[in-house]
Amino acid sequence: MKSKIQLSLNLKLILLCFFFLVLLLLIVRSSISPSQSPIPEIHLLNSTNPTQGPESATSSACSSLLTPTCTKTPPSLANALIHYATTNITPQQTLKEISVSARVLAKKSPCNFLVFGLGHDSLMWTALNHGGRTVFLEEDKAWIGQIQQRLPTLESYHVVYDTKVHQADELMRIGMEEECKDVSDPRFSKCQLALKGFPNEVYDIEWDLIMVDAPTGYHDDAPGRMSAIYTAGLMARNREEGETDVFVHDVDRVVEEKFSRTFLCEGYLREQEGRIRHFTIPSHRARLGRPFCP
């Protein structure tokens, strides 16, 4: 028991140090590139009515958080520091696993970041993407309510999945059909694996990073991540140009292992650390005739 407590404390200390390092990097970067202005950070106070978050209150005192004349701690980072310093709950991913996506965020933020799942690490992802837009898709409506009571600035949406883990083999067979190899907006895809019930803006935004860490997938009657993984890959391929970094967590499980390799493709696999895989998927619209997998 003592060793577990010590491990939790050590992880919290490491995370705090990591956030301070990110803050230092933001300040240094702002002094090097004063002409760049960050993308406004957008928040939701509830999952159905997007409004501007509490960070807008600081705009009059600090119109640009990344200019050399303003060295205040960004509110999203300050909130994360306070949250993780005062809770005994640590993120679900290990430090090494978190570092895989954090390195990409350090290069791409501020950016558009879509996360399947809302959890104890959500505030961390929002802070690491300071100035960008981070959106969470969550299957449990009650859990969204609990999280928003404590962390009202997070932007989250309730989504419904109609699959079950025990259907994975049949869904894999369906995914091999030609209609599932066609690249299109998921809303108009003929593939049964494509998720069509998200809010429209989730489909309209071109996501720079997508993290698949939900829905639940650890028992046969759980929704499983079959459709989430396929849809993440379809969104990445359907962007007009550029590329999307897609991360899949829990690849030690059968569904996550097989579906990520099949629909995100071995040829796009960049890194695996522990239970997380990182894929970089290019636009298929920018170069017509590109095969589904390289």
Side-chain angles (χ1 to χ4, degrees), residues 199-215:
N200 283 332
E201 62 185 301
V202 173
Y203 300 104
D204 294 337
I205 294 172
E206 290 195 346
W207 300 102
D208 302 297
L209 282 81
I210 301 177
M211 172 76 73
V212 181
D213 204 1

Side-chain angles (χ1 to χ4, degrees), residues 22-38 64-72 74:
V22 171
L23 173 60
L24 179 61
L25 288 174
L26 288 174
I27 295 172
V28 170
R29 186 171 68 176
S30 68
S31 65
I32 296 174
S33 305
S35 62
Q36 292 184 346
S37 59
S64 179
L65 291 173
L66 296 183
T67 60
T69 57
C70 179
T71 56
K72 284 187 176 181

Side-chain angles (χ1 to χ4, degrees), residues 10-60:
N10 289 341
L11 184 54
K12 286 174 62 178
L13 288 174
I14 293 171
L15 284 172
L16 287 173
C17 293
F18 185 75
F19 281 126
F20 279 120
L21 179 60
V22 171
L23 173 60
L24 179 61
L25 288 174
L26 288 174
I27 295 172
V28 170
R29 186 171 68 176
S30 68
S31 65
I32 296 174
S33 305
S35 62
Q36 292 184 346
S37 59
I39 299 172
E41 188 166 9
I42 303 173
H43 298 286
L44 274 187
L45 292 180
N46 57 61
S47 60
T48 57
N49 182 24
T51 57
Q52 190 173 7
E55 291 192 16
S56 62
T58 64
S59 59
S60 60

Side-chain angles (χ1 to χ4, degrees), residues 142-156:
W143 177 243
I144 292 176
Q146 291 180 41
I147 291 292
Q148 288 189 335
Q149 282 184 351
R150 292 186 285 119
L151 306 170
T153 60
L154 298 181
E155 181 176 358
S156 60

